[in-house]
């Protein structure tokens, strides 16, 4: 299927749900991203800062860019002017830097941030525990921030085809969301996103309450890492 057909397929699949699609375009050239854009899609995800900066410069500026990969504090400055959402916030230190850079660029809109929660059984995956996320939200530093908006949580499930394990991990992320919502955001409409689900497990994630799936190969085809 073409990129356009894939975009239309996901639009159709998600029509009856509150869930939106982030088209994960990492490793794919701007021409292929433009195809998805021409099919009407506007939310794209990248996992590397340099690649994102290069693509941002070459593509229409009404794209909503989401950073979904690990972000080093010293690289926030390269994306702070234009980024819509940073899904991979995994420490207070990083959030402090994001807030600072958003202020320096004089953005009219805050940078949307999502707290990345570790839900997989693999120790290598980045992310905080739900307790660490709570401690971040309880901190005085966080309460002073005026240039970021925490819009939800993000998680990467274990790379497995074990359906019950995947469901459990998605449920864990959802209950973390519920916990943070009821304690810190009960009156805040903007805290509403649960970003979970990728090409292989998006349908399960939607069934478990995902509001944002991140699909790469299911739209753009297999990635060729030798070109990056
Ligand atoms: C690459 C990536 C995806 C998309 O993976 P696919 O299996 O190609 O859909 C989703 N989320 C994150 C964080 C990624 O790095």
């Amino acid at each position: 299927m073409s990129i356009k057909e894939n975009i239309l397929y996901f639009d159709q699949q998600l029509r009856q749900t509150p869930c939106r699609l982030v088209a994960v375009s990492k490793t794919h050239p701007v021409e292929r991203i433009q195809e998805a854009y021409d099919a009407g899609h506007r939310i794209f995800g990248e996992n590397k800062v340099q690649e994102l900066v290069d693509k941002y410069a070459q593509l229409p500026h009404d794209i909503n860019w989401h950073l979904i990969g690990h972000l080093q504090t010293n690289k926030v400055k390269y994306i702070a002017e234009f980024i819509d959402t940073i899904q991979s916030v995994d420490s207070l230190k990083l959030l402090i830097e994001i807030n600072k850079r958003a202020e320096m660029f004089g953005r009219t809109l805050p940078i949307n941030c999502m707290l990345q929660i570790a839900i997989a059984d693999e120790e290598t995956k980045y992310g905080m525990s739900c307790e660490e996320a709570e401690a971040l939200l309880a901190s005085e530093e966080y309460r002073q921030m005026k240039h970021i908006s925490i819009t939800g949580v993000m998680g990467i499930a274990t790379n497995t085809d074990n359906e019950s394990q995947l469901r459990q991990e998605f449920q864990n992320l959802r209950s973390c969301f519920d916990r943070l919502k009821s304690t810190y955001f009960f009156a805040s409409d903007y805290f509403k996103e649960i970003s979970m689900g990728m090409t292989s497990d998006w349908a399960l994630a939607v069934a478990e309450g995902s509001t944002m799936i991140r699909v790469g190969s299911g739209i753009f085809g297999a990635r060729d890492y030798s070109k990056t």
Side-chain angles (χ1 to χ4, degrees):
M1 288 213 288
S2 68
I3 290 171
K4 180 179 179 181
E5 285 169 326
N6 291 335
I7 290 290
L8 297 179
Y9 169 79
F10 278 99
D11 282 352
Q12 177 70 34
Q13 292 297 310
L14 299 178
R15 190 159 295 160
Q16 311 289 346
T17 76
C19 188
R20 290 180 298 152
L21 169 71
V22 177
V24 177
S25 49
K26 64 191 187 193
T27 77
H28 297 290
V30 289
E31 294 73 24
R32 294 174 67 75
I33 303 174
Q34 184 72 46
E35 275 182 62
Y37 180 92
D38 291 340
H41 200 69
R42 292 293 180 273
I43 311 175
F44 292 89
E46 289 282 337
N47 69 337
K48 293 206 167 76
V49 166
Q50 187 58 54
E51 190 176 342
L52 171 57
V53 168
D54 291 345
K55 287 173 173 175
Y56 166 74
Q58 296 176 64
L59 285 158
H61 282 185
D62 63 341
I63 287 177
N64 290 325
W65 289 105
H66 286 216
L67 188 78
I68 60 171
H70 181 65
L71 177 58
Q72 287 172 271
T73 308
N74 62 1
K75 293 191 176 167
V76 174
K77 56 180 177 285
Y78 301 118
I79 59 170
E81 191 169 12
F82 68 86
I83 195 81
D84 178 81
T85 300
I86 298 173
Q87 293 205 8
S88 42
V89 174
D90 59 3
S91 70
L92 177 61
K93 176 170 164 256
L94 177 59
L95 198 61
I96 289 170
E97 176 68 11
I98 296 169
N99 183 65
K100 179 179 132 191
R101 294 290 169 181
E103 178 172 23
M104 285 173 66
F105 280 109
R107 287 174 57 116
T108 47
L109 294 174
I111 296 179
N112 296 320
C113 292
M114 302 172 67
L115 302 179
Q116 183 172 352
I117 307 298
I119 54 171
D121 64 8
E122 296 146 46
E123 292 211 349
T124 52
K125 295 259 163 80
Y126 292 102
M128 297 177 276
S129 65
C130 202
E131 291 70 30
E132 288 168 327
E134 284 196 275
L136 182 157
L137 295 171
S139 69
E140 189 54 34
E141 288 101 324
Y142 165 68
R143 274 185 265 165
Q144 299 296 328
M145 293 181 191
K146 296 191 169 61
H147 307 278
I148 55 109
S149 174
I150 306 267
T151 56
V153 295
M154 182 271 252
I156 305 172
T158 302
N159 186 5
T160 176
D161 51 20
N162 181 336
E163 212 178 291
S164 61
Q165 181 178 353
L166 288 167
R167 275 194 190 274
Q168 188 59 58
E169 293 178 2
F170 292 144
Q171 284 164 15
N172 289 347
L173 186 59
R174 187 180 178 163
S175 41
C176 177
F177 171 87
D178 290 341
R179 196 162 132 192
L180 301 180
K181 177 87 186 168
S182 62
T183 314
Y184 296 97
F185 297 103
F186 51 91
S188 312
D189 301 340
Y190 54 84
F191 186 82
K192 59 180 166 45
E193 306 290 1
I194 307 175
S195 171
M196 58 186 187
M198 317 191 347
T199 296
S200 58
D201 56 18
W202 67 268
L204 267 183
V206 171
E208 296 298 339
S210 175
T211 68
M212 205 176 262
I213 55 172
R214 310 177 305 267
V215 178
S217 39
I219 293 167
F220 296 104
R223 284 181 288 276
D224 181 356
Y225 283 102
S226 67
K227 287 190 195 143
T228 60

